[in-house]
Each structure stands twice: as structure tokens, then as C-alpha cells.
Amino acid sequence: RRLACGDVEGRLEAIFGRVRAIQAKSGRFDMLLCVGNFFGSTSEAEWAEYRTGAKKAPIPTFVLGANNQDTLSYFPDVSGCELAENITYLGRRGVYSGCSGLQIAYLSGAEAQQQPAPAHCFSAKDVAELKTSLLATPNFRGVDILLTSPWPRDVGTFANSAGEIDTKKCGSKLVSDLAASLKPRYYFAALEKAYYERLPYRNHMVLQETPQHVTRFIALADVGNTSKKKYLYAFSIVPMSSMEPAELVKQPQDVTENPYRKLRKGAPKGKAPLPAEEEPACQFFFDLNKHQGKKRPSDGKERGDSQPKQAKKPPQPTGPCWFCLASPEVEKHLVVSIGTHCYLALAKGGLSPDHVLILPIGHYQSVVDLSSEVLEEVTKYKAALKEFFRSKGKRYVLFERNYRSQHLQLQVIPVPLDLCTSEDIKEAFIAQAQEQQIELLEIPEHSDIAQVAQPGTPYFYVELDTGEKLFHRIRGRFPLQFGREVLASEALLARPERADWRQCAAQRPEEEAQARAFRREFEPFDFSLRD
């Protein structure tokens, strides 16, 4: 059982008095971990009693180093030392290993804003050396606890609100990089005079990596603050080295996406080593090492005698269909290109005048149901639209909702390149999905939706023109306008009034004019006119 606390700022009687009260009521704790400013500008009088041995800390106490020049003199040895009986300075950076096997990684100080780094600051070199010392360990899976004084930048991404703290501006990017690499099970920080317990986040890419443990980030307020914000946190932790793998990687119901996805995507790619007692995860639909893009046989063996798929006729609709091209229900004035198996049409009530749909000419319910020749032409239309929109300084976002729809509609919406990056688009979708308790997962860029969804499976998926994909398996109700709502939000197109297509439908003459304009501009890119 451990205790962690935020900025003590020299209030030793306050923190140790509180610890004594807790131990009297709840029993003994093994250690107290202090992050943030342990000393303050008026520490000397109280500290002298502990330094001289007149008073003793009631629990083994481990502290981080100075975050400013004023308190630097309290820490005589940069590599760590005993400051007083039962009070230990951990050092500039490193790993503390307890006799139980518990691993605590720590980094003292604030992020340096100049070079050479002042004595109370850490640099990129400090972070790199701490990472290297741990990542070089055979079968490294993460650390049990990470201690830093500053918050990691962007820790609030995909998470519950941090209140008045803007996590996109607060904290250190170097610390974010450290947390992304070390994968702590518990992570404590301070300095912002605020308490924030973030929802746990996962440390693996779902469907791409072996499941790993989650991280719980807790920022603690300053000791004795008048707002009564939480500054002391009690927790129990069994060392990772003593846990069964299945128990270690259990995912709580409120787990979120990793807030440092950008950092993890930029990291060198390589297969993470599996612990000796773990088998490779068999629940994956993908084999990322060979036969890229093929579905793995369910028995795990290659079938050399498999016959090529016979082309099959699409099923017939059970009633009138608004999108089968032969149907009298189709609003043909919106059609802007017709291929052999697919056609393009402007979206009715589109998010923008060049919002288009890729649709199969025959009746197919979803991408998963498409025959190979239809899928091939869908791919050609996607490539043509990518080239077309890029020529206009835009990138497209494509989504499909295979839920309460009987004919496949691939919605293709252009977004200006200078408005947002592909990472911004993914973050907007994931953030809004989490707000609505929708689990939207990133899947491998070169994978096929048919690898994660069987025919008849309700799903929602997003695809960027880079090939990056997000997927949600629909198991209950799903908001019908979700894709439009995300794209129309302030985070992307900033046109919330167009989230519902029914509020955006134009008169027929206007639709005809928009279709003529699109056909004229798209003509140089339209392969159907050349094939």
C-alpha cells in the first residue's frame, strides 16, 4: 500500500500529520511518494527539525528534486541521497526498485527552456537516457509507477475534463514522450495546484498489438490548499513482475484511447517482445507479417486448394431503393459519373457543394458484401477523388454507416488541407466517439474492412485518403448522423447547422447547377469517361 502527494512546499507538519492520521485509522502504508515542489520559500524552520533528527517522518518518504533555483540548495547530491531520517531524494532521473520487485521510474525538475539546462531542469538528453536504460531491458513491458513534477502535455486528449487546466498548453512534451515509452501503470505529477484523475488509457493499438496494461494518471494539488483539492492519494499495487499476464492486461470499462497517439505513431516500428508466459494474441483478424491484405483462415493454416471466388449477382432489394441506379426512386439529376459497377452522385443536403457518394449500381448493403469487381471500381473512384480533391487543396474523409440502411453509401467529404491534419481529423472522431461512449478503434492502414466485419455485421467506419481507418462494431443503438456531426463540428468544418442533411436540402435547380459544375471540374479525373 502506497501514498502519493502533490506539492508539499515545506508544509512538513501538515503532510506528516495527515499521514499519521491515515495510518492510525487505516493501518500502515509502505511509502510516501512526493511529486512537485517538496520545499518552499519558507521551509527552513520546519525542515531544520527533520534535518537535525529532532523530528522524524512517520513513513519512508521519497521526493523529487528542485523545480526552481530557490530550492536547489536543499538537494546536495544530484544522483540522490538521504536528506533526513526516512526522507530520501531519489535523484535527477532513474529507476527505484523495491525489494518486492516494484519499479518506480522518476524524473526530477522542470523542462529546460535553454541549453545548457540549469541544474533544476531536465533536458531531452535526460529523457532519452532514462528511456534507453529501461527499453533496453529484455521483455520490457512498462514500469509500475512514474513520477514527474510537470504534467505530460496533452494528457487530457480523449479523456474527462481537467477543469480549468488546458492540457494542450500545460505541461511538458518531453514528459509526454517519456510516459508514452515507459507505459507506467500509475503516473503521478503536480505543480498545477489542481487535482485531476484521468480515466485510464490503453497502451496498445487495438487489433494491431498484443493487449497491454492500462495507465492511470493522477495529478495532485498542493498540501493544505484552502480549496480542499485532493493532495494525498492512497493506492495498492502489486508489482507487474508478480502478476499473471491475463490479470495485468485486463481493460476497465472506462478505458480510453492513448492520449499520445501522435507520439506512438512517430516511434520506430517494430514488434514488441512478448513476455515468455504469453502466447501471441490469437483473437486478431490480421496477420501483419505476411500475406498482407488476406483474411487469415479460421483454423490458422493456409489453404492451398482454395478456389477463386465466383462472381455473384447482387441480392435484389426487398422494396423500393433510393440508390439502385435502375430504380425509378433515384434522383438522377444528382448523378455525376457512371462506371461499370459503381456511380458517383452528389449528396442530397451535402455538407459542402462537393460532398459526393460512391454507390454500387447493383444492390449491395455494405462494403463487406461487395464482389471483387465492384470493390475494385470503388477503389478506382477513391483514387480519382483523392487526385481531384488534392488538386483543389483538399483531402477527403470517407465514412460508411452499415446500420439502418439497405444500400451501400460511401460518403466522401472534402476538407481543406490548411484547415486540419489527418491526425486532427482522427482525434475529432475519436474524441466525439468517446463522449457518446462509442469505441472507435484504429485499424491497420492496409487492412480490409472485411477482415474485421463479417457480412451482416452492423458497423461504422471512417477512412482518410491516406488509407488510415477507424472502425466501430455497432452492438446497440447508434446515432445516424454521427459522421456528419463530427465533420460539421467546430473542430473540423465548423458548420454545425449542416449536421442534419434534412435541414440542408436545396431546391432542384440549385442541385442541378451544382451537379453540372462538379461534372465539369471532375471530368479530367473521371476514368469512366476513358475506360
Side-chain angles (χ1 to χ4, degrees), residues 200-204 206 210-216 246-256 439:
Y201 63 81
R202 60 175 69 93
N203 282 299
H204 64 279
V206 176
T210 303
Q212 297 180 46
H213 59 271
V214 301
T215 293
R216 289 173 167 83
E247 187 67 25
L248 177 64
V249 303
K250 276 186 178 176
Q251 306 289 298
Q253 285 190 334
D254 56 353
V255 68
T256 77
E439 188 176 32

Side-chain angles (χ1 to χ4, degrees), residues 278-290:
E278 283 188 50
E279 293 293 327
C282 298
Q283 72 271 31
F284 286 26
F285 279 93
F286 314 101
D287 187 336
L288 300 180
N289 297 317
K290 57 183 179 178

Side-chain angles (χ1 to χ4, degrees), residues 307-312 371:
Q307 297 298 317
K309 258 189 174 179
Q310 296 297 315
K312 57 180 181 180
S371 63

Side-chain angles (χ1 to χ4, degrees), residues 92-270:
R92 185 182 182 91
R93 65 174 184 272
V95 180
Y96 173 87
S97 297
C99 57
S100 65
L102 191 76
Q103 270 201 323
I104 304 173
Y106 56 87
L107 179 68
S108 289
E111 181 176 336
Q113 302 302 313
Q114 62 192 67
Q115 291 299 331
H120 63 276
C121 295
F122 59 82
S123 64
K125 182 181 177 184
D126 289 309
V127 171
E129 289 183 0
L130 179 53
K131 284 169 52 179
T132 301
S133 68
L134 282 160
L135 297 179
T137 308
N139 295 331
F140 177 75
R141 291 181 288 177
V143 296
D144 292 300
I145 300 170
L146 174 61
L147 307 176
T148 69
S149 288
W151 290 27
R153 180 76 58 87
D154 291 321
V155 71
T157 305
F158 311 131
N160 47 315
S161 170
E164 297 177 359
I165 306 298
D166 184 351
T167 59
K168 292 188 179 295
K169 296 178 181 178
C170 149
S172 163
K173 288 184 179 179
L174 288 178
V175 166
S176 298
D177 179 41
L178 183 67
S181 298
L182 299 194
K183 303 175 184 176
R185 292 165 63 207
Y186 279 88
Y187 177 8
F188 297 97
L191 294 184
E192 300 299 329
K193 300 189 183 303
Y195 169 67
Y196 174 50
E197 184 167 1
R198 190 201 187 281
L199 291 172
Y201 63 81
R202 60 175 69 93
N203 282 299
H204 64 279
M205 301 281 279
V206 176
L207 299 178
Q208 297 185 51
E209 296 175 333
T210 303
Q212 297 180 46
H213 59 271
V214 301
T215 293
R216 289 173 167 83
F217 172 78
I218 298 106
L220 295 163
D222 49 317
V223 171
N225 67 86
T226 55
S227 303
K228 299 193 182 303
K229 295 175 183 175
K230 189 169 183 173
Y231 62 83
L232 192 62
Y233 188 93
F235 65 109
S236 296
I237 182 169
V238 175
M240 188 184 301
S241 57
S242 301
M243 294 184 69
E244 290 293 327
E247 187 67 25
L248 177 64
V249 303
K250 276 186 178 176
Q251 306 289 298
Q253 285 190 334
D254 56 353
V255 68
T256 77
E257 183 58 83
N258 190 297
Y260 318 118
R261 287 171 66 252
K262 290 181 185 177
L263 293 170
R264 297 187 75 237
K265 279 188 79 78
K269 293 190 178 179

